[in-house]
Amino acid sequence: MGIGNTILKAWDSHFHLDCTSQTLFGNQEASLVNILAAEVGSMPKIKVEVVGGIMVYCDPENYPTNIKCQRKGFGAAGGIHPKKAPLFPHTKFEELRNLLRLKTVVALGEIGRDRCAPASTWKLQEEIFVKVLQLSMPIRPVFWHMRDAADQNCGEVGARCLQIMKANVAPTQRIHLHCFTGTVEQVVSWLETFPKCYFGVTGLVREFDCFQKVALRRIPRGHLLIETDAPYIRPLQASASIPSFIGEVALAVSRVRGETVEEVL
Ligand SMILES: [Zn+2]
């Protein structure tokens, strides 16, 4: 049951099918249909029908050579997670280029900067994402990842990322800031620089401080995306997050923004 008698339709704009399969079944073979129906020991509080989403492949050790979406409404993204930078030699660049040629792959990412990884890798992360950014040309949307163990708002990392993006892609570039946890200033500056920037909000919204909540309210409705980032950011009793939990993300977002769940979805 959704809200009232209708089951709401939802779209999970960022999840990892391969890692969710690995977490639940110990291998990466599970299909999208299997994952959408998986038992994870806890039922979503808001039942939704997941009618679309983006499956993100960003692990260079396991780039797939073929991706089946199985259902209309779903697509894939291919990139390099910044924590995996040391596992990305030149040959992997070619593999990534091939991955992006698959018909089902509609976006580049996730790529970006992660300061939770050892500082010795930060320079390499930057070199790689600048190189990989050229694969977004001319029109591929980019999934952007930024994290900083020392700053949950990613103020410094965010400013640096914005600067580098400005120098390397056109202002018309479509950008999806994955797992956005920033401030109002960041919402404003990203939108000013890239009018086609979208903000992806995950279940971390439940832990947002007052600055992050203010920022979430400032995101224009047409620029707000919600994500489970499955299998990560799992609800308490669940063994992993799966896209079916996207309704709970929508609920938490709706409470902060003073909107209904339907409006958020
Ligand atoms: Zn992710």
Side-chain angles (χ1 to χ4, degrees), residues 84-149:
K84 297 287 175 105
L87 303 169
F88 195 79
H90 182 73
T91 49
K92 288 290 172 184
F93 183 80
E94 290 309 315
E95 275 185 45
L96 177 58
R97 196 199 291 271
N98 288 337
L99 178 64
L100 291 166
R101 285 188 179 124
L102 297 177
K103 234 170 67 191
T104 42
V105 177
V106 296
L108 168 67
E110 54 195 287
I111 60 170
R113 190 87 147 75
D114 195 316
R115 287 199 187 177
C116 301
S120 57
T121 66
W122 294 355
K123 196 168 161 271
L124 179 65
Q125 287 183 20
E126 210 166 287
E127 282 164 15
I128 288 174
F129 81 64
V130 168
K131 181 173 160 70
V132 164
L133 261 182
Q134 61 183 269
L135 296 174
S136 70
M137 315 294 178
I139 54 162
R140 210 186 298 274
V142 173
F143 264 107
W144 194 257
H145 168 113
M146 49 193 182
R147 289 266 78 80
D148 188 348

Side-chain angles (χ1 to χ4, degrees), residues 14-16 56 58 81 110 145 178 227 229-230 232:
H14 183 119
F15 66 98
H16 301 266
V56 180
C58 56
H81 194 286
E110 54 195 287
H145 168 113
H178 155 59
E227 340 171 316
D229 202 16
Y232 312 109

Side-chain angles (χ1 to χ4, degrees), residues 9-84:
K9 290 188 184 350
W11 215 83
D12 185 356
S13 62
H14 183 119
F15 66 98
H16 301 266
L17 187 74
D18 53 354
C19 306
T20 307
S21 172
Q22 184 72 43
T23 305
L24 292 175
F25 307 113
N27 63 60
Q28 306 200 346
E29 308 308 317
S31 68
L32 173 63
V33 170
N34 293 150
I35 293 296
L36 289 175
E39 295 282 340
V40 292
S42 169
M43 291 295 283
K45 285 188 209 92
I46 292 193
K47 193 172 174 191
V48 294
E49 184 193 352
V50 185
V51 294
I54 298 289
M55 310 181 281
V56 180
Y57 293 85
C58 56
D59 180 357
E61 294 153 284
N62 297 305
Y63 282 148
T65 47
N66 186 20
I67 299 173
K68 287 202 187 92
C69 286
Q70 292 181 301
R71 292 219 173 143
K72 237 176 103 192
F74 288 84
I80 150 85
H81 194 286
K83 282 186 172 170
K84 297 287 175 105

